[in-house]
Each structure stands twice: as C-alpha cells, then as structure tokens.
Amino acid sequence: RIFPESSSTVITVDTHNTTTTTWHGFTRFLDAGKGSQVSGMSELKEYFNRFGYLPIPDENNFTDIFDKQFESAVIAYQTNLGLPVTGKLDSDTISMMVSPRCGVSDTKTHGTTFQATKH
Amino acid sequence: FSYFYGKPRWGRQAPVILTYAFSQNNMIDYISLKDIKTVFKRAFSRWAQVIPVSFMEIEDYPSADIRIGFYYRDHGDGQPFDGVLGVLAHAFSPENGRFHLDASETWALDFETVKSRVAVDLESVATHEIGHILGLAHSSVKEAVMYPSLSPRSKKVDLKIDDVNGVQALYGSNPNFTFSSLLASENSFNKG
C-alpha cells in the first residue's frame, strides 16, 4: 500500500511478501534443462513468446516439456542479453527473467534482419 | 545497439523538432506533475545532446508527437501491463509516439525519500523508452540505457557509447556533441 504524505514526500510500501510480483514464480524452474518436465513451464514459454523468442505452437498451447525448440529459445535469450550461453535455466538466466523490464519485444521487432551490434 | 524492423525514424527534415505532452487523465498522483515534467525534460535532453533532434513540451495531448501516460493493466493497445514489477513500461517505434508507463509501479524520483523495495526510477525508464520512441530497439550491452531490464532501486540514466552510436546512425550527430564528454562519464562509471 502506498501512503503519500503531503509536503515531505516519503513513500512507504508494504513489501514484506514480494512473491506476488510478476514472474517471481519462475525461480522454481532453476536448473531445468532439455528433457525435463516441470508443471507450469508453459507459463515460462509464454514469457519467451511475449518477448519474441518462441513462436506459438501449431496446437496453440505450450507444453510443460523442455524440448529442443525451447532450448533454442533459451540460447537466443542468453545470447541477446549477454548472459553465459548454457541452454539451461541457470541462476543467471532465471535472475534476468524475474527482473523487471521493458515490455518491448527483444526480437519480434527486427523481423529476419535482426542484427545486434556489440561495441 | 539494434533497430526496429525497417529501421524507422522520425522522417522530417533536419533539424527535427518533436513535441511531447502528458495525458491529463492517465497520470500518477503521488509525484507532482511539476516533478514528473522536470524528470522527462532531463531525459529528453540527454538524447537531444547527442543528435540534432529537439523536444518541446506542449499542452495539446492529441496533437503531440509523443504522448505520455500511466496506465493500469489492459489499456487498449494490445500490450496489457501486469501489476507490480514485471513489465515497467513500453513505447512504440517511430512515428507512432505512444509512451506508456505501468501505473502499478512505485515510481520514484530518488531512493532517499522512497523506501519501497520495489521502487523504480522514473528517469531511467523514461530515458530508455525515449530511445524506443526515437527508433532504437534493445541492446545486448548490459551497461547501455537500451538494455531491456532494470532492477528495482537502481538508476541508469547516462547514455553509453552503444546508445549514442545507435541513435547517431539514425539521425546524425549533434554538432555540439563530443565523445570525450561521454568517455569521461563512462570512465567515471567504470572506476566507480
């Protein structure tokens, strides 16, 4: 809850339980890799879809299986965000995924001509 | 740095002057409008210092090139916000001009007075989204303003070489800009 004060603006927010924040639940997928199946992984795939790393499957629903296509998406995500490229949901990757971020897609906006230039 | 597909930019003849306005109906009330305007003015000026583009605030929201507002959840553009943290804001590529911030966040101008663990620096997010408005997509350079994530209670407002190179490839360089000032800033950052 936010308690704005009139002149000396001190804002206090009750954050004793931050598990309600968006994406915090993704931490349960830590260390998952290709071949694993974890309940709720489809939500993670929706996250990857939202930011341009994974297309919607033909059957319209994501599964909870960490398949080869998902591994490719994880690798693309790690490459794009300058993370160690492991293809697994390691701690660096999970930490990045639960971090707040901009809602603009990382890749969909670039079509087939995506080029990220590092300096 | 990277660009949106097709490398769109504001296509007017140089010098480009873009107007911006704040929504009257979609704002937050715990930070004064005056303070919000000051923060945005500073964020716009950072980009204006490196490219021959200037930004001017106007009152007429519908006619502004850049239209800024704070919105909750589904706000009609097909990109609903998601509550506390998660997605903080989004902006559209040139020449759309829509600039939306998630009203569910605890926006902060500084972290001395705002003690929340989920406070988000308004100026950092504003600076990042202006990059999108100008035509930059996300960067893979972690230190760059255009890197997609920002931790709560952190600040990233100074443009890095990656940001400057990207935006100058779209608009050219501001004749008054020198890389030495930027390098001095970056050296200071690295030593810190």
Side-chain angles (χ1 to χ4, degrees):
Chain A
R1 287 181 296 167
I2 300 167
F3 302 96
E5 294 184 3
S6 55
S7 54
S8 61
T9 310
V10 176
I11 297 170
T12 307
V13 175
D14 180 3
T15 55
H16 67 280
N17 182 0
T18 56
T19 59
T20 55
T21 57
T22 309
W23 304 330
H24 186 85
F26 289 166
T27 53
R28 71 183 188 276
F29 301 116
L30 180 64
D31 292 332
K34 194 166 78 171
S36 59
Q37 181 168 355
V38 184
S39 176
M41 192 171 280
S42 57
E43 294 168 30
L44 199 58
K45 290 184 178 180
E46 284 168 13
Y47 173 99
F48 276 81
N49 169 259
R50 171 170 190 170
F51 295 111
Y53 295 97
L54 198 60
I56 293 174
D58 294 338
E59 55 274 20
N60 270 334
N61 289 317
F62 290 112
T63 68
D64 289 335
I65 301 168
F66 196 126
D67 52 21
K68 187 170 179 169
Q69 190 182 32
F70 186 52
E71 183 187 47
S72 299
V74 172
I75 289 171
Y77 179 84
Q78 291 168 334
T79 305
N80 240 7
L81 297 190
L83 300 169
V85 180
T86 64
K88 293 179 181 174
L89 296 172
D90 52 37
S91 57
D92 287 337
T93 305
I94 292 287
S95 293
M96 184 58 67
M97 288 174 53
V98 301
S99 292
R101 58 162 290 158
C102 172
V104 173
S105 170
D106 293 340
T107 64
K108 275 182 180 172
T109 49
H110 307 87
T112 55
T113 61
F114 171 65
Q115 288 184 338
T117 307
K118 288 184 178 179
H119 298 272
Chain B
F1 56 85
S2 63
Y3 303 110
F4 293 101
Y5 183 60
K7 213 174 169 182
R9 53 157 277 176
W10 294 85
R12 298 176 191 173
Q13 294 286 323
V16 177
I17 300 172
L18 299 177
T19 59
Y20 66 94
F22 297 89
S23 167
Q24 286 193 336
N25 302 321
N26 299 287
M27 295 300 285
I28 49 175
D29 58 7
Y30 55 88
I31 302 176
S32 73
L33 183 58
K34 184 185 167 202
D35 286 346
I36 291 174
K37 287 184 174 183
T38 301
V39 161
F40 273 85
K41 189 173 183 179
R42 227 164 30 222
F44 279 117
S45 75
R46 286 202 177 82
W47 292 101
Q49 280 168 14
V50 304
I51 52 174
V53 175
S54 54
F55 301 93
M56 185 176 71
E57 190 198 338
I58 61 171
E59 292 299 319
D60 187 16
Y61 182 79
S63 72
D65 296 314
I66 304 165
R67 298 170 302 285
I68 303 163
F70 293 79
Y71 298 89
Y72 289 99
R73 302 284 177 176
D74 187 352
H75 51 285
D77 64 1
Q79 300 289 323
F81 286 131
D82 50 12
V84 178
L85 300 183
V87 168
L88 305 173
H90 56 226
F92 291 72
S93 57
E95 298 176 296
N96 182 293
R98 281 181 289 177
F99 184 139
H100 298 167
L101 299 116
D102 188 347
S104 300
E105 309 303 343
T106 302
W107 294 105
L109 304 185
D110 68 82
F111 299 122
E112 293 296 313
T113 49
V114 181
K115 303 298 184 191
S116 167
R117 281 162 44 190
V118 292
V120 178
D121 184 54
L122 180 61
E123 190 168 344
S124 300
V125 174
T127 308
H128 175 97
E129 299 304 328
I130 292 166
H132 288 318
I133 292 281
L134 288 168
L136 289 178
H138 285 147
S139 170
S140 58
V141 177
K142 281 184 183 173
E143 295 75 24
V145 159
M146 293 314 294
Y147 193 72
S149 75
L150 180 75
S151 298
R153 302 194 66 79
S154 67
K155 204 168 170 74
K156 191 198 281 183
V157 295
D158 293 326
L159 301 185
K160 298 298 183 296
I161 289 176
D162 185 71
D163 304 305
V164 174
N165 283 340
V167 79
Q168 288 189 339
L170 280 177
Y171 295 94
S173 177
N174 184 324
N176 299 319
F177 171 75
T178 60
F179 266 101
S180 56
S181 58
L182 194 72
L183 288 169
S185 166
E186 289 208 3
N187 286 338
S188 162
F189 173 82
N190 290 336
K191 281 176 186 167

